[in-house]
Amino acid sequence: APSGFQYLIDGKPEAKAGAAAPSFDIAKAVISLNRAKFRFDPESQTLYDFESRKIEFDLICEKENSLNLRICGELRKDLKRIGIEVHISPRKRTELWDQLTERFDWEVILISQPRNQNLYDLIPLWHSQGRMHTFCPGQKFPLTEWERELDEMLEGLVFSKSPDLAKATHVWSR
């Protein structure tokens, strides 16, 4: 993770002393977007797709989580710099999880997990067959190599009497 975002890893709402914010080159971003057939209108400061539709989306987060709300604000600010409009839509935790896992009614959701959360609680979200697994809801087996590795890591950590924490750290950090 870029050092300026260390606070996300540590669960602290501020950057570490002396940590540089990640650089964000608007000109390079606009060039990349133009190559992908997006069009940035400098006059209106708006990004459009190849059919001239304005690029915007709803970003859902937990109403009760002040850190997530601050992160959403930073994402909105950064994306506005390249013409993308973000509508932050805070929800109660129960409504957010219902949208995420039952109705699949969302564009972008920012969720977080406590740093010291019980690994058993993570299985439904991160395991490929978990009921809250959002990459491909309802899948019966890992669809990618990294999902298989993550499944094995979770199973090894949760169900082993002597889990391999070094291997888990390597898999998780990728």
Side-chain angles (χ1 to χ4, degrees):
S3 59
F5 287 103
Q6 187 66 36
Y7 67 92
L8 298 177
I9 295 168
D10 290 341
K12 297 176 184 171
E14 66 279 333
K16 289 191 174 212
S23 62
F24 180 59
D25 188 330
I26 294 174
K28 285 182 180 178
V30 170
I31 289 169
S32 294
L33 289 164
N34 284 337
R35 283 189 199 132
K37 306 296 184 214
F38 289 88
R39 181 180 56 83
F40 179 74
D41 178 22
E43 187 175 313
S44 67
Q45 295 291 298
T46 303
L47 186 67
Y48 296 93
D49 70 8
F50 67 96
E51 293 180 348
S52 297
R53 295 176 296 204
K54 181 179 174 180
I55 303 299
E56 58 186 329
F57 62 89
D58 291 329
L59 173 57
I60 299 170
C61 66
E62 277 187 58
K63 182 184 278 188
E64 302 87 3
N65 189 322
S66 62
L67 178 58
N68 277 8
L69 287 168
R70 288 178 59 192
I71 292 169
C72 287
E74 291 299 314
L75 289 170
R76 176 173 49 193
K77 187 170 59 174
D78 282 349
L79 291 172
K80 183 66 181 164
R81 293 172 64 195
I82 57 172
I84 298 174
E85 188 170 337
V86 177
H87 309 281
I88 299 173
S89 186
R91 301 275 198 273
K92 289 184 177 180
R93 179 186 296 239
T94 54
E95 183 181 350
L96 179 144
W97 284 105
D98 182 57
Q99 281 184 269
L100 179 67
T101 63
E102 301 298 327
R103 297 184 318 210
F104 306 107
D105 176 25
W106 49 276
E107 293 176 341
V108 179
I109 292 183
L110 176 68
I111 57 173
S112 62
Q113 61 195 44
R115 182 155 191 167
N116 297 321
Q117 186 168 4
N118 184 323
L119 287 172
Y120 289 102
D121 296 337
L122 299 178
I123 295 273
L125 179 63
W126 294 111
H127 196 279
S128 65
Q129 296 175 44
R131 76 171 185 82
M132 297 185 321
H133 185 66
T134 57
F135 300 116
C136 184
Q139 72 189 61
K140 303 297 180 210
F141 53 87
L143 297 177
T144 64
E145 180 63 23
W146 64 266
E147 277 188 316
R148 185 192 59 73
E149 286 184 58
L150 191 59
D151 285 358
E152 288 175 1
M153 180 205 67
L154 286 169
E155 292 163 6
L157 287 173
V158 172
F159 302 116
S160 173
K161 291 183 192 274
S162 56
D164 184 348
L165 296 178
K167 181 178 179 184
T169 301
H170 172 73
V171 171
W172 192 257
S173 66
R174 294 187 322 177

